[in-house]
Amino acid sequence: MGPSDAIFLIVTVVGVALYTWRTIDGTPYDPVLVLAIRGIFLAFTVWYVLIGVRRRQLLSYFSEAIEKTPTAFAIYDERDRLVARNRAYELAHGTAFDQLREPIYYENVVKAACPPTLPPAVQRREMDLSLYHHRHATGKPFDRLYSDGRWLRVIKARTASGANVGVGIDVTELYEAKAAADREHSRFRGLAENLPIGIWHFDSEGRTIFVNRDLLDLFDLSSQDAIANVAAPYFIAAHVQGFDPAHLNDEHNKLGNLAIRTVDGHTRHVIIRTSALPAETTGLGETIMSFIDVTPLKEAERRIDYLAHRDMLTGARNRAAFVEAIETAADISTDDNPCWMLSMDLDDFKPINDQFGHAVGDALLREFVNRIEAIGCPDSFLYRLGGDEFCIMLMGLSRPQVEDVAKAILEAVDHPFQLGHNRICVAASIGIAAIPLDATDADSAQRYADLALYSVKKRPGGGGGYAFFTKELAERDLQERIMTLDLSRALAGNDFEFAFQPIFRRTDRAVVAIEALLRWTNRRTGERVPPARFIAAAERSGVIGRIDHWVFARVAAYVSDLLNRGIKPPLTMINMSPLTLEASGFITGIDQILQKFPDVCGHLCIEITEGVMVDDRARLRETFRKLGDRGIRTAIDDFGTGQTSVALLRDLPVGFIKIDRSYVAGIETDPQAMAIVATIVRLSRDLGIRVIGEGVETQEQLSALETAGCDLIQGYLWGRPIAAAEMEVLLEKADAATSPTATHPVSDRLP
């Protein structure tokens, strides 16, 4: 009962008494007093009615508010009977209130709301927990999952009268957010554990928050316990070269290709990224570091670099590595600390490939490299530039010391190479130049070393030694360069001329072929330059291809003109460099000329020198075949000077060979020369190849060739080279002759 209720009761009792009671002596009260008291009573009655209306209104508001709020609300009396509840409280307990009848006790509510699908033990535990919180009603919040799937934060408290008031605030969204965060955390951990990178998460004090398995593997750690009591940045700095913990999140630590020294002594290459988490996000400064293991990539790069800079056959450094090294040497070399370049190759290496096969040749190159590297000269590097061409770079040595190295190389090569069942002897030639003593740039130094190498090969015996670059060699090189320019101008100005030398059939002295010989008078100097000199210069400079095509075109035009005038020319032989035949556009150039002069097919023969054969024998054979398809015959000059003569006869479809004049010059007095020539003639006849003895100058040589069985003769004895006009007159006279006893009849049929 409230204060207003007590006042109203007192006033009511007094008012009733005044209506009935009288004074002690039985006389009625004063009417004015009675009227006043009645007025007061009436006023209190009205006030009480108004208060009651207001109270009911407020109670209605309160009841509606409690009912509408999503917060569950219930009151149990001192005997745990439910005396008040709202709709939210009923919803939290599912269908429990559909099963209960008044009076409703709390324990019955708990039993009815417990899901029957739970195991009995779980049901008992849930009930005991609920009853415990209800009985104690400490006013402390606790979270509980209800049967409708909502989480409520429950607060239970007892009133002074013993009633139990319970309030349940819906915190389902909080738990859903927490569940979502847990899922994201689990997803992060799952991703972090399965990512192929190491992840290290630590706080501002370096205490580890999380590491994944890849991180532990990178550092060869068995578990996270191994780093539980260490500061992560300093542990990383102790094991990662180049990492500075004092600048953890600085720019130079964010990007890095660093190396980890693992616990077991291995080295792993990693790319490290650091990411600082802001303090407002985590409450404390935290850092996530990722370690990307690029060890396989580094190994692949190392392998690629090896492949890019190493010769796969011999293991020596290759040309690409040489170009880089020589450029660097040109920058750092001084007069006091020069870079010596030893350019070298193996003498007569090509015949070894042809005689024993490329496998043996490759084995020889590998053994050669092994011997050179076994010399063990400090600060020296061996490079294979191609084929049997090598170069050694030496730093910081004096000239006498370089000579000692060159002698050691020659001595190492001087011992025979035992390759399987083959015992092979070779020699080496070495040319030496220095940067900056001889040249200040890499290209010039290499060229000067090559010039010194060529000077060794031009010595009597053809190599097997060493030579330093000299100014005389530079002057000779300069003259050859000038000659190259003169040759180019001669081509443009048609300064070349022809001489023709006839080839005779020995039995009747008939002219069966003529050889076109190129002649050149240098317009600038007026000098008549020997062919051996300007052809060699043209081959070294690369002009030879243009010269050979020019010669072929002019000879084709000459032969075509003879045919158009009714003069039958014999087979015309044209000298060409093997380098020209090796060029990719050679056949195309020949076809263009034959399109202009189609009538010359069958009248031309291309002649190459056996001593300077190209390496690719298969390619040369295919070129000879294509020439034969076009009616152009082929011949080999200076046969017998190389070491692969017999192999040439086997491999190449040639029509003629010319026995080198060195054999013919001594054939009349040298039995060995006679035996060699006779063998060549006999073998060639068996293979269907015609043999020409060149350089015949005496009757005794002619008789010896007749004894050897050689049928075709070329030399000063019967015919010197003559000008084109003289050859034309000779051919006209021979063609007009009708008598078989003519001095130089022309035969269009070879024996």
Side-chain angles (χ1 to χ4, degrees):
M1 179 182 295
S4 60
D5 294 329
I7 294 172
F8 180 75
L9 180 60
I10 294 170
V11 172
T12 300
V13 171
V14 173
V16 171
L18 289 175
Y19 270 100
T20 58
W21 293 358
R22 293 180 180 270
T23 61
I24 298 174
D25 58 1
T27 61
Y29 285 103
D30 183 26
V32 175
L33 177 60
V34 172
L35 182 61
I37 292 175
R38 286 178 177 176
I40 292 172
F41 173 75
L42 180 60
F44 266 101
T45 301
V46 172
W47 173 79
Y48 182 78
V49 170
L50 292 177
I51 287 295
V53 172
R54 180 59 179 166
R55 179 186 295 170
R56 287 190 297 273
Q57 187 180 30
L58 291 175
L59 184 59
S60 175
Y61 289 159
F62 180 75
S63 298
E64 289 180 3
I66 291 297
E67 190 65 31
K68 293 297 184 182
T69 183
T71 300
F73 178 81
I75 301 176
Y76 288 83
D77 64 14
E78 68 280 1
R79 297 174 60 185
D80 274 345
R81 291 176 301 185
L82 182 63
V83 295
R85 67 180 183 272
N86 65 353
R87 180 63 178 166
Y89 186 78
E90 292 182 359
L91 291 175
H93 291 82
T95 60
F97 288 95
D98 296 338
Q99 309 168 24
L100 300 173
R101 296 292 180 265
E102 298 290 344
I104 300 174
Y105 291 91
Y106 180 74
E107 185 174 356
N108 295 335
V109 174
V110 174
K111 288 180 179 180
C114 190
T117 56
L118 293 177
V122 177
Q123 292 185 21
R124 184 72 258 173
R125 186 172 62 250
E126 289 294 320
M127 288 182 61
D128 290 345
L129 184 61
S130 298
L131 292 173
Y132 172 83
H133 285 297
H134 184 77
R135 283 194 300 270
H136 289 79
T138 61
K140 294 181 179 180
F142 63 92
D143 294 346
R144 180 182 171 193
L145 177 63
Y146 281 78
S147 59
D148 64 347
R150 291 188 302 153
W151 280 91
L152 298 184
R153 182 153 294 171
V154 179
I155 302 174
K156 288 181 178 286
R158 289 197 181 275
T159 66
S161 63
N164 192 325
V165 180
V167 178
I169 303 172
D170 192 342
V171 290
T172 305
E173 290 186 0
L174 175 64
Y175 273 85
E176 289 177 348
K178 182 178 181 299
D182 289 342
R183 287 194 299 271
E184 290 300 318
H185 183 259
S186 297
R187 183 180 302 171
F188 166 76
R189 289 188 67 93
L191 289 173
E193 289 293 352
N194 290 285
L195 283 174
I197 62 175
I199 297 176
W200 198 328
H201 182 195
F202 51 87
D203 63 18
S204 59
E205 300 299 324
R207 292 185 293 262
T208 298
I209 299 173
F210 169 79
V211 292
N212 66 352
R213 184 70 252 174
D214 278 73
L215 188 282
L216 297 175
D217 291 342
L218 277 176
F219 286 89
D220 281 331
L221 300 173
S222 58
S223 69
Q224 188 171 333
D225 295 339
I227 52 175
N229 299 318
V230 299
Y234 293 96
F235 180 89
I236 295 169
H239 293 82
V240 178
Q241 298 172 354
F243 181 81
D244 186 0
H247 302 279
L248 177 62
N249 292 305
D250 286 0
E251 187 65 28
H252 73 275
N253 270 339
K254 289 185 179 179
L255 298 176
N257 198 335
L258 308 176
I260 293 178
R261 297 187 302 273
T262 62
V263 175
D264 63 357
H266 293 123
T267 298
R268 290 192 177 96
H269 297 276
V270 292
I271 294 176
I272 298 178
R273 300 288 187 270
T274 64
S275 177
L277 302 180
E280 56 269 20
T281 301
T282 63
L284 292 172
E286 296 180 3
T287 300
I288 294 179
M289 295 187 65
S290 58
F291 298 74
I292 304 173
D293 188 357
V294 294
T295 304
L297 178 61
K298 275 289 183 181
E299 292 175 352
E301 288 178 351
R302 190 180 300 110
R303 179 62 178 167
I304 291 172
D305 182 71
Y306 182 89
L307 294 175
H309 294 88
R310 290 282 181 169
D311 172 52
M312 289 298 97
L313 175 62
T314 64
R317 291 171 172 83
N318 61 12
R319 179 178 288 276
F322 171 75
V323 171
E324 294 179 6
I326 195 63
E327 292 293 343
T328 302
D331 293 335
I332 66 174
S333 298
T334 63
D335 290 343
D336 295 330
N337 185 29
C339 173
W340 297 91
M341 186 183 307
L342 280 65
S343 180
M344 60 185 178
D345 66 9
L346 298 177
D347 300 328
D348 298 323
F349 176 73
K350 293 177 182 178
I352 294 175
N353 274 334
D354 296 330
Q355 181 178 354
F356 298 100
H358 285 280
V360 173
D362 292 346
L364 174 60
L365 292 176
R366 286 192 291 268
E367 179 61 24
F368 170 74
V369 169
N370 291 338
R371 291 188 183 185
I372 300 304
E373 293 182 339
I375 294 174
C377 181
D379 296 326
S380 67
F381 301 94
L382 174 64
Y383 302 87
R384 184 188 180 205
L385 306 184
D388 63 324
E389 300 176 19
F390 293 85
C391 184
I392 293 180
M393 291 176 56
L394 302 172
M395 295 294 297
L397 299 184
S398 64
R399 182 184 176 106
Q401 290 174 319
V402 174
E403 282 194 86
D404 290 340
V405 173
K407 292 176 182 177
I409 293 172
L410 295 177
E411 183 179 354
V413 179
D414 187 55
H415 301 288
F417 290 79
Q418 187 66 44
L419 305 173
H421 299 293
N422 302 303
R423 186 178 177 85
I424 300 174
C425 296
V426 295
S429 297
I430 305 173
I432 307 171
I435 303 174
L437 302 180
D438 297 319
T440 57
D441 63 281
D443 290 341
S444 297
Q446 186 177 3
R447 187 173 71 254
Y448 289 170
D450 288 340
L451 290 176
L453 172 65
Y454 296 148
S455 71
V456 175
K457 287 187 170 295
K458 289 178 181 178
R459 293 174 182 173
Y466 68 90
F468 285 86
F469 170 78
T470 63
K471 291 182 179 180
E472 290 75 14
L473 292 175
E475 179 64 26
R476 193 182 308 164
D477 178 60
L478 176 61
Q479 293 301 323
E480 190 167 285
R481 287 171 177 269
I482 294 173
M483 180 178 291
T484 300
L485 295 176
D486 291 340
L487 287 170
S488 297
R489 283 192 289 265
L491 275 173
N494 294 320
D495 292 345
F496 293 105
E497 299 174 344
F498 289 106
F500 293 91
Q501 185 175 20
I503 298 172
F504 300 94
R505 186 164 53 207
R506 178 183 51 78
T507 55
D508 57 2
R509 205 171 172 177
V511 177
V512 296
I514 57 176
E515 180 180 1
L517 303 172
L518 194 62
R519 298 291 184 261
W520 175 47
T521 300
N522 190 328
R523 183 187 301 181
R524 181 180 59 83
T525 63
E527 176 190 11
R528 191 171 183 85
V529 185
R533 192 170 136 206
F534 73 77
I535 291 298
E539 285 183 334
R540 286 192 292 270
S541 64
V543 182
I544 190 64
R546 293 167 53 200
I547 293 177
D548 284 345
H549 280 283
W550 185 90
V551 170
F552 188 87
R554 290 308 173 99
V555 171
Y558 175 74
V559 172
S560 179
D561 179 65
L562 292 178
L563 290 170
N564 290 334
R565 289 189 287 128
I567 301 174
K568 289 184 178 181
L571 184 68
T572 304
M573 308 187 82
I574 305 168
N575 291 284
M576 278 194 178
S577 169
L579 300 177
T580 302
L581 274 70
E582 195 177 30
S584 58
F586 171 71
I587 292 296
T588 301
I590 294 297
D591 287 340
Q592 292 173 351
I593 296 172
L594 294 180
Q595 287 177 1
K596 294 181 181 179
F597 310 106
D599 52 348
V600 302
C601 293
H603 294 278
L604 301 179
C605 176
I606 289 179
E607 181 180 334
I608 63 173
T609 301
E610 186 262 340
V612 288
M613 279 293 164
V614 294
D615 288 332
D616 194 343
R617 192 68 58 79
R619 184 174 180 180
L620 185 62
R621 180 171 59 250
E622 180 63 14
T623 299
F624 274 28
R625 185 192 63 78
K626 291 179 179 179
L627 290 173
D629 294 341
R630 289 157 175 77
I632 299 175
R633 304 179 76 173
T634 51
I636 298 176
D637 195 9
D638 299 334
F639 189 82
T641 56
Q643 299 182 22
T644 59
S645 301
V646 175
L648 284 175
L649 299 183
R650 178 196 62 197
D651 294 340
L652 300 180
V654 297
F656 301 90
I657 60 172
K658 286 186 174 181
I659 299 176
D660 186 70
R661 64 181 66 246
S662 62
Y663 293 106
V664 174
I667 191 173
E668 72 276 21
T669 59
D670 186 350
Q672 289 185 342
M674 181 65 179
I676 291 173
V677 171
T679 300
I680 292 174
V681 171
R682 184 171 60 255
L683 179 61
S684 299
R685 183 180 295 121
D686 292 341
L687 296 175
I689 300 172
R690 304 305 177 192
V691 180
I692 301 172
E694 62 177 349
V696 181
E697 297 181 358
T698 65
Q699 186 63 43
E700 290 77 12
Q701 293 170 351
L702 178 64
S703 300
L705 288 173
E706 180 179 3
T707 302
C710 182
D711 294 328
L712 303 179
I713 304 299
Q714 182 180 18
Y716 285 2
L717 178 63
W718 280 357
R720 291 175 175 270
I722 57 178
E726 295 180 68
M727 177 58 69
E728 183 177 333
V729 171
L730 175 64
L731 294 177
E732 286 179 340
K733 290 181 179 180
D735 194 41
T738 56
S739 170
T741 59
T743 307
H744 295 100
V746 177
S747 173
D748 58 355
R749 299 184 64 185
L750 292 170

